[in-house]
Amino acid sequence: MTRRPEARPDRQHRTRARRLLAAAITAALAACLGAVGVAGPASAEVPGSAQRWASLMYHSLTPTPQYVKVRKALSARRAILAARSRRLSAARRTHNAAQATLTTAVAADAAARTRYVLSREALTSARNRLIVVSLQRPRDPAAVTRMQNTVTAAAKAVNTRRVQARDAAAALKSAQAAARTATVAMDRATVAWRIISAVVRKYQRRLAALDHSAEIAAQAAAISRTVVTDVQAGFTTADTTTVEGITVHKSVAFAFRRMLADARYHGIILSGGGFRTKQRQIELRKINGCPDVWTAPPSSCRVPTAIPGTSLHEVGLAVDLTVDGSSVPRDSDAFRWLSANAHRYGYVNLPSEPWHWSITGS
């Protein structure tokens, strides 16, 4: 009898790893679709490509625990940086004020010393003239008295200028000390700011390295046309769900809900319509004056309207968005926000209709 060879340990390990990975993907997708009201894992009606798209968008929009941890650490460091920036700004203002005071004190000290020197020269000159007048013959008492008064006044001026020079020197010394203190404080504040700035940059680089959202969203975008084809092939209304009053395919519900919530956070309140039946599409073709319901190209209608059976609205993969009760206009904050951010949630604009967004842009 031929015995079945025993499985090698490494093969058993790989088999277990594959099973665990499959379980993890299933759990993630269940969380993704369950978050929008779908019972359990993705329903059997949802094609594999749509499940894959939903899973990719879930992982794109849901940060990992490590990313959250680094983001919190970065937020804390940014708060420290903001505080140190304020401290540095205050230190610079103090430094600039001290430098201005020092400049004024230097000029005042120089002027006071000059006036003191000039007053001493004036006193010396007055004393010399008094000697000359006193030695003149015949002696002129009135002239001598005048010169004596001049000497007295010059001596007073010297005393005044000496006090002023001393006060100016003291003010200069104080200004110099204040300027030195302010310079040291500013240097320390600058060093502290540079240290935390470097830390913030380090955390920013670490956060960027952990952020794979754009890469994952690009993977979802790459299969979006396959999703459309697969969904159209077997779509039923049971594959839809409602997100804030808008009916969409349940594979896009999580991403769509996040887009509405994030837009609201930025002050953009979006509403609108998503899924509509083929019958409603036929009615719209008639309402919009298409030459032929089934064959005329969308551009031939008064308002471009897809041929029934081709519109992504009919499978819940497109939405017509409104803001303030009207279709989103091109020149609006809503359109600008969507243009900058909608791709993060898997939505692309149809260029001819600023209000129309779908997973393929068609």
Side-chain angles (χ1 to χ4, degrees):
M1 181 178 63
T2 303
R3 296 183 59 189
R4 184 177 180 180
E6 294 183 0
R8 292 169 55 187
D10 57 343
R11 182 178 301 170
Q12 291 176 338
H13 176 74
R14 287 197 299 271
T15 300
R16 269 197 310 272
R18 282 195 296 268
R19 289 175 179 170
L20 289 173
L21 178 59
I25 292 174
T26 300
L29 186 56
C32 169
L33 297 178
V36 294
V38 180
S43 301
E45 296 85 356
V46 178
S49 59
Q51 294 183 36
R52 173 66 175 161
W53 192 95
S55 177
L56 287 169
M57 292 311 304
Y58 175 82
H59 288 294
S60 173
L61 295 169
T62 306
T64 64
Q66 187 179 8
Y67 183 92
V68 172
K69 180 179 179 181
V70 174
R71 186 173 59 189
K72 287 182 178 179
L74 174 59
S75 178
R77 270 66 179 183
R78 279 176 171 163
I80 296 173
L81 177 61
R84 291 188 181 179
S85 294
R86 291 191 295 270
R87 194 175 306 162
L88 177 57
S89 296
R92 282 174 175 165
R93 288 194 296 270
T94 301
H95 177 266
N96 292 339
Q99 289 296 320
T101 300
L102 177 59
T103 299
T104 301
V106 168
D109 176 70
R113 284 188 289 108
T114 299
R115 289 194 296 269
Y116 176 54
V117 170
L118 292 176
S119 68
R120 290 180 62 185
E121 291 177 352
L123 176 60
T124 299
S125 177
R127 284 172 174 170
N128 290 337
R129 288 199 301 276
L130 175 59
I131 292 173
V132 171
V133 170
S134 298
L135 294 177
Q136 284 180 345
R137 294 291 183 271
R139 183 182 177 85
D140 184 350
V144 171
T145 299
R146 285 197 300 273
M147 287 308 303
Q148 287 175 336
N149 291 338
T150 300
V151 169
T152 300
K156 279 186 178 181
V158 167
N159 289 333
T160 299
R161 299 305 184 194
R162 182 186 298 115
V163 171
Q164 291 175 344
R166 183 190 63 201
D167 292 345
L172 175 59
K173 185 176 180 180
S174 176
Q176 288 172 331
R180 286 193 297 270
T181 300
T183 299
V184 170
M186 187 181 71
D187 290 344
R188 288 176 177 172
T190 300
V191 170
W193 179 85
R194 286 176 178 169
I195 290 172
I196 193 62
S197 293
V199 172
V200 166
R201 288 193 298 272
K202 181 184 73 173
Y203 274 93
Q204 286 173 331
R205 290 192 297 270
R206 188 179 300 175
L207 196 66
L210 292 170
D211 184 8
H212 302 293
S213 58
E215 175 187 339
I216 300 172
Q219 294 175 25
I223 64 171
S224 60
R225 294 195 179 278
T226 302
V227 172
V228 169
T229 301
D230 293 346
V231 167
Q232 286 175 330
F235 174 79
T236 69
T237 55
D239 295 334
T240 62
T241 188
T242 301
V243 176
E244 298 190 23
I246 303 172
T247 301
V248 296
H249 195 278
K250 57 189 174 187
S251 63
V252 302
F254 176 82
F256 185 60
R257 186 185 298 277
R258 282 290 301 272
M259 184 169 75
L260 295 184
D262 291 348
R264 186 182 301 109
Y265 176 81
H266 289 91
I268 309 296
I269 311 302
L270 296 172
S271 188
F275 168 74
R276 55 177 174 251
T277 64
K278 181 181 288 188
Q279 184 58 40
R280 180 55 180 164
Q281 191 70 19
I282 293 172
E283 293 173 359
L284 288 176
R285 289 277 288 183
K286 294 177 180 178
I287 291 170
N288 293 331
C290 304
D292 182 88
V293 170
W294 299 101
T295 61
S299 58
S300 66
C301 310
R302 285 194 301 270
V303 177
T305 311
I307 295 172
T310 66
S311 172
L312 296 191
H313 283 288
E314 295 175 52
V315 290
L317 296 178
V319 290
D320 286 340
L321 295 174
T322 62
V323 63
D324 297 328
S326 301
S327 295
V328 170
R330 192 173 303 280
D331 184 20
S332 66
D333 290 338
F335 182 77
R336 283 186 284 271
W337 187 89
L338 287 164
S339 297
N341 297 283
H343 65 278
R344 296 176 50 231
Y345 310 91
Y347 280 85
V348 184
N349 178 236
L350 178 63
S352 60
E353 301 177 12
W355 58 85
H356 182 91
W357 297 79
S358 69
I359 68 169
T360 61
S362 57

